[in-house]
Amino acid sequence: MSPRPPRLPIRELAAAAAAYQTAAVIPHCAQCLKPCCKLESLVLELNWKQTRTLWRIEEARPAFDKRLAAGAGPEEIRAGNGLYYIHGKACPAYDQTLGSCRIYGQSIKPAGCSDFPVYEDGGDIVADLRCEAVDLKALTAEIARAAGREFRIIETADAEFPFIVSLSLKRQTGQRGPA
Ligand code: SF4
Ligand code: SF4
């Protein structure tokens, strides 16, 4: 029977990504020169409940959609695929004085915000270099440590959006897993 290859340490990778956010990214947010929450280069994706809550919309969704379609809605919101895309104006939950999110830790906070700028996706670590706090070299070292010596890290930039970088794990040749 041939030895099993080492398993992909997905849980460890996700924990390493979260730890990197906590240690290296979040402490920098208050002094960030290009805060992502201003939505100047990023697009925020929201469902109806999040949109209604953040913009304090009182009308029913069909009426709001009609207003948006007529060009009379908040100009930073575009509707599509049953969702709402926000760009070009700071998120209403962003506290510009403190440089922080007013809904941090609340269920209404979009999952995409928690994932930005570093997250685990199917065994890869994805890093968005539009965040000035991301140090790719340091992140790669953290991920290599979490992955263990059986793996090496391959870095790939997205062809269309080169600021999105994936760190993939490749098994080291000659390494054997537990039998
Ligand atoms: S871009 Fe990065 S450092 Fe700046 S506010 Fe966003 S997460 Fe924080
Ligand atoms: S919900 Fe919070 S983290 Fe997300 S864009 Fe708005 S202020 Fe930033």
Side-chain angles (χ1 to χ4, degrees):
M1 197 166 104
S2 57
R4 272 180 296 163
R7 68 171 180 86
L8 269 180
I10 291 180
R11 233 181 306 163
E12 291 83 347
L13 288 179
Y20 185 81
Q21 299 248 47
T22 302
V25 177
I26 294 168
H28 184 80
C29 291
Q31 71 245 28
C32 180
L33 296 177
K34 288 189 176 172
C36 49
C37 305
K38 286 192 172 177
L39 303 177
E40 287 165 344
S41 60
L42 279 95
V43 176
L44 184 62
E45 181 184 300
L46 301 177
N47 60 30
W48 167 242
K49 185 179 174 192
Q50 291 162 332
T51 307
R52 187 186 59 195
T53 305
L54 292 183
W55 272 262
R56 299 178 186 189
I57 298 163
E58 291 184 357
E59 66 206 309
R61 186 174 183 178
F64 177 74
D65 286 346
K66 205 170 161 189
R67 182 155 66 86
L68 260 192
E75 59 186 8
E76 67 275 24
I77 304 180
R78 296 273 178 279
N81 310 317
L83 295 167
Y84 298 89
Y85 298 91
I86 326 301
H87 178 67
K89 198 168 175 186
C91 171
Y94 182 55
D95 185 324
Q96 305 222 29
T97 308
L98 297 177
S100 61
C101 175
R102 289 195 194 92
I103 55 172
Y104 186 82
Q106 297 180 31
S107 59
I108 195 79
K109 186 181 173 193
C113 294
S114 302
D115 285 345
F116 185 84
V118 175
Y119 61 98
E120 182 276 325
D121 182 21
D124 287 353
I125 294 293
V126 181
D128 191 323
L129 303 184
R130 286 174 292 180
C131 170
E132 66 185 28
V134 175
D135 176 337
L136 194 53
K137 205 171 157 194
L139 174 64
T140 304
E142 288 296 325
I143 298 308
R145 209 181 342 265
R149 288 167 51 199
E150 294 96 340
F151 296 94
R152 62 194 167 92
I153 310 288
I154 307 291
E155 181 187 313
T156 317
D158 185 274
E160 195 178 352
F161 303 108
F163 46 80
I164 310 268
V165 174
S166 292
L167 302 176
S168 310
L169 268 53
K170 293 282 175 253
R171 290 182 177 90
Q172 301 270 25
T173 48
Q175 290 281 349
R176 295 285 163 90

